[in-house]
Amino acid sequence: MSKHIFVIGAGRSATDLIEYLLNQATINDWYVTVGDMSLTLAAEKINGHPRGKAIYFDGGSADMRQEFIAQADIVVSLLPPAMHPAVAKVCLQYEKHLVTASYISAEMASFNEEAKEKGLIFLNELGADPGIDHLNVMRGLDKLRADGAKILELRSFCGSLIAPESNNNLWGYKFTWSPMNVIVAGQGAASYLKDGKRKLIPYNRLFTTTDKVVVEGLGEFEAYANRDSYGYIDTYQLEGIQTLLRGTLRQTGYCEGWNAFIRLGMTANDYKIADAETLTYKAWTESFLTLQAGESVEMALARFLDTEIDSDLMKRLLSTGILSEEKIKQENATPAEILYDLLLSRWVFLETDKDMLVMADKIVYEKEGNRYEKTATMAVIGRDHEHTAISQTVGLPAAMGVKLILQGKINHTGVLMPIYPEIYQPILSELEEFGIVFSEKTIAL
Amino acid sequence: MSKHIFVIGAGRSATDLIEYLLNQATINDWYVTVGDMSLTLAAEKINGHPRGKAIYFDGGSADMRQEFIAQADIVVSLLPPAMHPAVAKVCLQYEKHLVTASYISAEMASFNEEAKEKGLIFLNELGADPGIDHLNVMRGLDKLRADGAKILELRSFCGSLIAPESNNNLWGYKFTWSPMNVIVAGQGAASYLKDGKRKLIPYNRLFTTTDKVVVEGLGEFEAYANRDSYGYIDTYQLEGIQTLLRGTLRQTGYCEGWNAFIRLGMTANDYKIADAETLTYKAWTESFLTLQAGESVEMALARFLDTEIDSDLMKRLLSTGILSEEKIKQENATPAEILYDLLLSRWVFLETDKDMLVMADKIVYEKEGNRYEKTATMAVIGRDHEHTAISQTVGLPAAMGVKLILQGKINHTGVLMPIYPEIYQPILSELEEFGIVFSEKTIAL
């Protein structure tokens, strides 16, 4: 019997997901409905495909959730993470499977028992990161464990960056992905495991506590720690492991620059500057500094940062326009919102730009008394501005997850992560057909 | 006709307020009702006075607010600041005056028009700080301006500290006042005026950007900036002033120590540590550090802080028990909550201890071509554990404000601060009878 897939969200990360599902629609006998607040956007993605349908869908409307989820066999939610639980509840009500590319929230986790009882699969964290990283890490760990290795350390990194050919600003960064998340990244604290002990890195030290990560063919990157690595000890079944860190990759120099924003106070999102629109960016920057007699704002900034006025750090900071005489455009805005607006105008991901998703994981293990380090790296460059690396790496795994569920190939039920061989093996194999391939190297330590 | 005063709250800061109102009850022909969640506490404060009445009162109950505010002529709210608006609304409904010792919130400010229309006085910021500082600063400014002086700079400081005779820990600090407020003090950013420009100090630099403040007879203190000094340019009518800073006083060394807690990450209040109760304080501290081979937690802490292992800073930090083998008592707690619980057990304000409130303001002005600095300082030591300095300095001004309102001596209406001569002159004069006296000194610069 024909199956019906309901994809909620037709934004940037949906392109490759929808294309994959439509391309495989006839052979698998399924139909794809795409709902979005923009009917035009949804229709563009369907592109007249006979097995596709575009609808206007407002995820915030309880009536619409009821109406369209009831008609589907499986739902893919690309909504903002906070909206997944509302979708999941309707999936429970009508007994529909669910796929997301987002971290499992406490509320999503709470649906586990009921989903199990009803034989439903709520498969989450199946995008790029979280997603492909889980698939490759679990494949690597399971294989090593089957071979009798003892796992000592795991470090797993991912970055949504810009392709070398489009990398033409001093930060090696453009907004290919949720800019506000980049501005407030790391607020709170990062938690990871080091030498058998839990470590906490507060925000004020996050961007100075970085790892160097070399990816063959692409050179050296730096990585800052993700919010919660510690919780993955259980997820990856790594009891007894000494070090476990998940981190975010950036081009070298980015973290030092970003830390300057943090030290200055420009990323704070917990208070508003009432009359921000009366200030230039330069005056705003000056407000975080104390000028000495005869000193320019630029000199005071260099002194504050304990760097030379023509250092790379200063060049990087000035390239963002923080000393420009432009007026701030927002009223009553937080520093983070002001910085967001400024960087949005500087770090533009142009139509002609290509993005790049880079992934690397390192496993240190012991076998027969010897120590080894196995490194797996992967880089995907966007095909074009529509089929970006992020769209491919988020959308394809999620789409393949949908296929596995509809083909009845997943035996687990409940609220799941893609950590089981029945999920990671077929998806990693199929991703290779799309050029998403890890290269591996093992060295003796 | 007899007047009825309704005092909401019988806690530590209410003692002197209630005593004052009861002592003056017969001569002024008024009655005092004290409501508190603890009827016992309220009854203790009334102490059988014939013109006093203790009642059980739950500020969160709309019914009780209606019942008891309707019966009063004036209300004094010593509730937590967030609860004042609910009280103020009932005061508007039944047309009652209101006195608080708290900062005017945006919601409280929004009642100004209606209070004015109804001829009501909502007098706020009339405690110690905010309160006595406003009184003395406005008296000083008004006098200087009347003498033709041009005001160039104003710095105003206050600290709720411990009396020299009870000052026997390395921080010069015990919790005489709202401990959680001390733990999270300064989160967000501080805003002040310097050399004619607004300055912002983010939390990560607040406790290293301190002023030295000398108070005659008590020596040198250090001060960190309060959240919003900038807004007081309007309040104090200081358009054109070059520098305006309000700050909090601490004993020397406190700020360096507190900044270490901030750098470590121990004051964060925006994430929880799920299994905190499984950790000792030492293990918790270690989680913020990276130990090198062979290094103890103490050595790693000293290295992190770039200080000697036997430095005053280290002694100060270790005196709090952050390296103790005691288990943390809370589950699923934020770092700030964990630190709170630890310090609460170390910085105990004992029955035998006396507190001390210290205030200092400095006005730099120009007159006939010359520059001067006028300094006013004041220190009050608690009489005993009940009649603390904080109870006296918060309660007496508020009580005197009640008297002025009931005697019809305040001509202004609406939501007010005590910045008018008709308020500050009589209260400052009467405070002198209670030993709350500023000593002044002016020097030529």
Side-chain angles (χ1 to χ4, degrees):
Chain A
M1 213 181 79
S2 302
K3 299 285 185 182
H4 288 84
I5 304 166
F6 180 33
V7 178
I8 307 179
R12 185 171 279 173
S13 64
T15 307
D16 288 84
L17 177 127
I18 295 166
E19 248 179 51
Y20 177 96
L21 293 176
L22 289 174
N23 287 343
Q24 303 230 351
T26 306
I27 195 168
N28 289 292
D29 189 18
W30 62 45
Y31 291 86
V32 182
T33 300
V34 174
D36 198 281
M37 297 279 279
S38 160
L39 179 57
T40 314
L41 197 61
E44 274 171 24
K45 297 283 155 90
I46 293 296
N47 196 21
H49 194 287
R51 282 184 173 254
K53 186 165 75 170
I55 60 163
Y56 168 78
F57 182 81
D58 174 0
S61 156
D63 288 347
M64 298 192 85
R65 288 197 300 268
Q66 290 280 333
E67 180 182 349
F68 292 104
I69 293 174
Q71 297 172 28
D73 294 293
I74 186 166
V75 176
V76 182
S77 176
L78 299 172
L79 291 168
M83 298 178 76
H84 293 329
V87 170
K89 281 179 189 164
V90 186
C91 288
L92 285 173
Q93 183 188 340
Y94 292 108
E95 308 203 353
K96 311 296 183 185
H97 301 300
L98 174 65
V99 173
T100 84
S102 307
Y103 284 107
I104 295 177
S105 65
E107 194 174 1
M108 181 63 84
S110 73
F111 303 138
N112 185 44
E113 283 309 309
E114 191 178 344
K116 269 192 177 162
E117 278 164 25
K118 294 183 169 168
L120 297 176
I121 299 171
F122 284 10
L123 181 52
N124 302 275
E125 306 199 15
L126 187 51
D129 168 21
I132 299 177
D133 59 328
H134 292 334
L135 305 175
N136 191 61
V137 162
M138 283 307 296
R139 178 172 64 178
L141 291 174
D142 283 350
K143 183 161 188 319
L144 287 168
R145 288 186 283 219
D147 288 353
K150 185 180 170 204
I151 310 298
L152 302 174
E153 301 180 7
L154 168 65
R155 290 180 183 80
S156 169
F157 304 101
C158 181
S160 171
L161 298 162
I162 197 82
E165 62 207 83
S166 304
N167 181 0
N168 51 13
N169 72 34
L170 293 175
W171 292 74
Y173 192 78
K174 297 181 183 179
F175 289 117
T176 56
W177 189 242
S178 184
M180 198 62 191
N181 285 353
V182 173
I183 305 289
V184 301
Q187 300 196 2
S191 157
Y192 71 106
L193 183 79
K194 188 176 162 64
D195 302 334
K197 292 185 174 167
R198 172 160 42 177
K199 296 293 168 191
L200 293 165
I201 317 177
Y203 183 53
N204 62 27
R205 292 191 271 133
L206 185 62
F207 286 85
T208 56
T209 314
T210 54
D211 272 28
K212 298 272 174 221
V213 181
V214 174
V215 178
E216 252 186 65
L218 290 170
E220 190 174 275
F221 296 84
E222 52 192 30
Y224 64 87
N226 288 359
R227 176 170 288 246
D228 178 24
S229 299
Y230 194 78
Y232 285 86
I233 300 173
D234 290 345
T235 308
Y236 294 155
Q237 297 154 30
L238 286 171
E239 292 70 20
I241 194 172
Q242 291 301 297
T243 294
L244 198 166
L245 175 71
R246 298 175 76 243
T248 296
L249 294 172
R250 290 289 181 258
Q251 296 285 359
T252 300
Y254 180 99
C255 290
E256 185 192 27
W258 198 264
N259 192 55
F261 287 144
I262 295 173
R263 286 185 60 208
L264 282 162
M266 289 179 169
T267 65
N269 205 20
D270 55 357
Y271 72 94
K272 286 176 187 273
I273 300 174
D275 53 355
E277 80 283 3
T278 65
L279 298 171
T280 62
Y281 288 103
K282 184 176 185 176
W284 177 62
T285 299
E286 186 181 345
S287 73
F288 294 109
L289 297 166
T290 305
L291 270 58
Q292 294 178 349
E295 206 177 35
S296 67
V297 181
E298 195 173 342
M299 286 158 67
L301 178 61
R303 182 174 49 78
F304 170 77
L305 296 170
D306 199 14
T307 187
E308 298 301 314
I309 202 135
D310 58 352
S311 67
D312 286 351
L313 173 59
M314 281 295 287
K315 286 180 189 147
R316 200 171 287 128
L317 289 172
L318 298 199
S319 75
T320 63
I322 58 168
L323 294 191
S324 88
E325 299 284 1
E326 234 174 284
K327 273 274 172 70
I328 291 172
K329 283 175 281 298
Q330 301 122 300
E331 298 174 24
N332 200 32
T334 67
E337 288 163 354
I338 293 169
L339 186 61
Y340 165 86
D341 206 52
L342 179 65
L343 294 182
L344 214 53
S345 71
R346 299 304 203 272
W347 293 355
V348 182
F349 181 47
L350 297 171
E351 277 291 321
T352 49
D353 281 335
K354 287 183 180 174
D355 70 336
M356 173 171 72
L357 191 117
V358 182
M359 215 168 257
D361 60 64
K362 291 165 183 286
I363 303 173
V364 175
Y365 63 94
E366 204 174 81
K367 201 177 153 188
E368 293 157 7
N370 299 312
R371 288 196 171 206
Y372 304 89
E373 183 179 65
K374 180 184 170 194
T375 303
T377 60
M378 184 270 279
V380 182
I381 293 192
R383 237 165 57 224
D384 52 45
H385 207 74
E386 191 66 15
H387 300 80
T388 59
I390 195 88
S391 162
Q392 293 173 54
T393 53
V394 170
L396 293 174
M400 293 169 189
V402 169
K403 182 164 77 172
L404 290 175
I405 293 172
L406 290 181
Q407 292 180 341
K409 299 215 171 129
I410 301 182
N411 298 317
H412 292 79
T413 56
V415 176
L416 306 179
M417 285 190 226
I419 54 173
Y420 308 105
E422 73 215 49
I423 302 176
Y424 66 68
Q425 291 291 17
I427 296 183
L428 284 170
S429 297
E430 197 175 349
L431 283 174
E432 295 197 359
E433 298 168 22
F434 289 84
I436 300 175
V437 188
F438 281 86
S439 61
E440 298 187 350
K441 198 171 76 174
T442 300
I443 54 167
L445 292 180
Chain B
M1 215 181 77
S2 302
K3 298 285 185 181
H4 287 83
I5 304 167
F6 180 32
V7 178
I8 307 179
R12 185 172 277 172
S13 65
T15 307
D16 287 84
L17 176 127
I18 295 166
E19 249 179 53
Y20 177 97
L21 293 175
L22 290 174
N23 287 342
Q24 303 230 353
T26 307
I27 196 169
N28 289 293
D29 189 17
W30 62 46
Y31 290 86
V32 182
T33 300
V34 174
D36 197 280
M37 297 278 280
S38 161
L39 180 57
T40 315
L41 195 62
E44 275 171 25
K45 297 282 155 91
I46 293 296
N47 195 21
H49 194 287
R51 281 183 173 257
K53 186 165 74 171
I55 59 162
Y56 167 79
F57 182 81
D58 175 0
S61 156
D63 287 348
M64 298 192 85
R65 289 198 300 268
Q66 289 281 332
E67 181 182 350
F68 291 104
I69 293 174
Q71 297 172 29
D73 294 294
I74 186 166
V75 176
V76 183
S77 175
L78 299 172
L79 291 168
M83 298 179 75
H84 293 330
V87 171
K89 281 179 190 165
V90 186
C91 288
L92 285 173
Q93 182 188 343
Y94 292 108
E95 308 203 352
K96 310 297 183 184
H97 301 299
L98 173 65
V99 174
T100 84
S102 308
Y103 285 106
I104 295 177
S105 64
E107 194 175 1
M108 181 63 85
S110 74
F111 302 139
N112 185 44
E113 283 309 308
E114 191 178 344
K116 268 192 177 163
E117 277 164 25
K118 295 181 169 170
L120 297 176
I121 300 171
F122 285 7
L123 183 52
N124 302 275
E125 306 200 16
L126 187 50
D129 168 22
I132 299 177
D133 59 328
H134 293 334
L135 305 175
N136 191 62
V137 162
M138 284 308 295
R139 178 171 66 178
L141 291 174
D142 283 350
K143 184 164 186 317
L144 286 168
R145 289 187 280 220
D147 288 352
K150 184 180 171 202
I151 310 298
L152 302 175
E153 301 180 8
L154 168 65
R155 291 179 181 78
S156 170
F157 305 100
C158 179
S160 172
L161 298 162
I162 198 81
E165 62 207 86
S166 303
N167 180 359
N168 51 13
N169 72 33
L170 294 175
W171 293 73
Y173 192 79
K174 297 180 184 180
F175 288 118
T176 57
W177 190 242
S178 183
M180 198 61 192
N181 285 352
V182 173
I183 305 289
V184 300
Q187 299 195 2
S191 155
Y192 71 106
L193 183 79
K194 187 173 162 66
D195 301 333
K197 292 186 174 166
R198 173 160 41 177
K199 296 292 167 191
L200 293 165
I201 317 177
Y203 184 53
N204 62 26
R205 292 190 272 135
L206 186 63
F207 286 84
T208 56
T209 314
T210 54
D211 271 29
K212 297 273 174 221
V213 181
V214 174
V215 178
E216 251 186 67
L218 291 170
E220 189 175 274
F221 296 83
E222 52 192 29
Y224 63 87
N226 289 358
R227 176 171 287 247
D228 178 25
S229 298
Y230 194 78
Y232 285 87
I233 299 173
D234 290 344
T235 308
Y236 294 155
Q237 296 152 30
L238 286 171
E239 291 70 20
I241 194 173
Q242 290 301 298
T243 294
L244 198 167
L245 174 71
R246 297 175 77 244
T248 296
L249 294 171
R250 290 290 181 255
Q251 296 285 358
T252 300
Y254 179 99
C255 291
E256 186 193 26
W258 198 263
N259 192 55
F261 287 144
I262 294 173
R263 284 186 60 207
L264 282 161
M266 290 179 168
T267 64
N269 206 20
D270 54 357
Y271 72 95
K272 287 177 187 272
I273 300 174
D275 53 355
E277 80 283 3
T278 66
L279 298 170
T280 62
Y281 287 103
K282 186 177 184 175
W284 178 61
T285 299
E286 188 181 342
S287 74
F288 294 110
L289 297 166
T290 306
L291 271 58
Q292 294 178 349
E295 205 177 36
S296 67
V297 180
E298 196 174 341
M299 286 157 67
L301 179 61
R303 181 174 48 79
F304 171 76
L305 296 169
D306 198 15
T307 186
E308 298 300 313
I309 201 135
D310 59 350
S311 66
D312 287 350
L313 174 59
M314 281 295 286
K315 285 179 188 148
R316 200 170 288 127
L317 290 172
L318 298 199
S319 73
T320 63
I322 57 168
L323 294 192
S324 88
E325 300 284 0
E326 238 174 280
K327 274 272 171 71
I328 291 172
K329 284 175 282 297
Q330 301 122 298
E331 297 172 24
N332 199 31
T334 67
E337 288 163 354
I338 293 169
L339 185 62
Y340 166 87
D341 206 52
L342 179 65
L343 294 182
L344 213 54
S345 71
R346 299 304 203 275
W347 293 355
V348 182
F349 181 47
L350 298 169
E351 278 292 320
T352 50
D353 280 335
K354 288 184 179 171
D355 70 335
M356 174 172 73
L357 191 118
V358 182
M359 214 168 257
D361 60 66
K362 290 167 183 285
I363 302 173
V364 175
Y365 62 94
E366 203 174 82
K367 200 177 151 187
E368 292 158 8
N370 298 312
R371 285 193 173 211
Y372 304 90
E373 182 179 65
K374 181 184 168 192
T375 303
T377 60
M378 185 271 279
V380 183
I381 294 194
R383 238 161 61 221
D384 52 44
H385 206 74
E386 191 66 15
H387 301 81
T388 59
I390 196 88
S391 162
Q392 293 172 56
T393 53
V394 170
L396 293 174
M400 293 168 189
V402 169
K403 183 165 79 172
L404 290 175
I405 293 172
L406 290 181
Q407 291 179 343
K409 298 215 172 128
I410 300 181
N411 298 317
H412 291 79
T413 55
V415 176
L416 306 179
M417 285 190 225
I419 53 172
Y420 308 105
E422 72 213 49
I423 302 175
Y424 66 68
Q425 290 291 16
I427 296 183
L428 284 170
S429 297
E430 197 176 348
L431 284 174
E432 295 197 358
E433 298 168 23
F434 289 83
I436 299 174
V437 188
F438 281 85
S439 61
E440 298 187 350
K441 199 171 76 176
T442 300
I443 55 166
L445 293 180

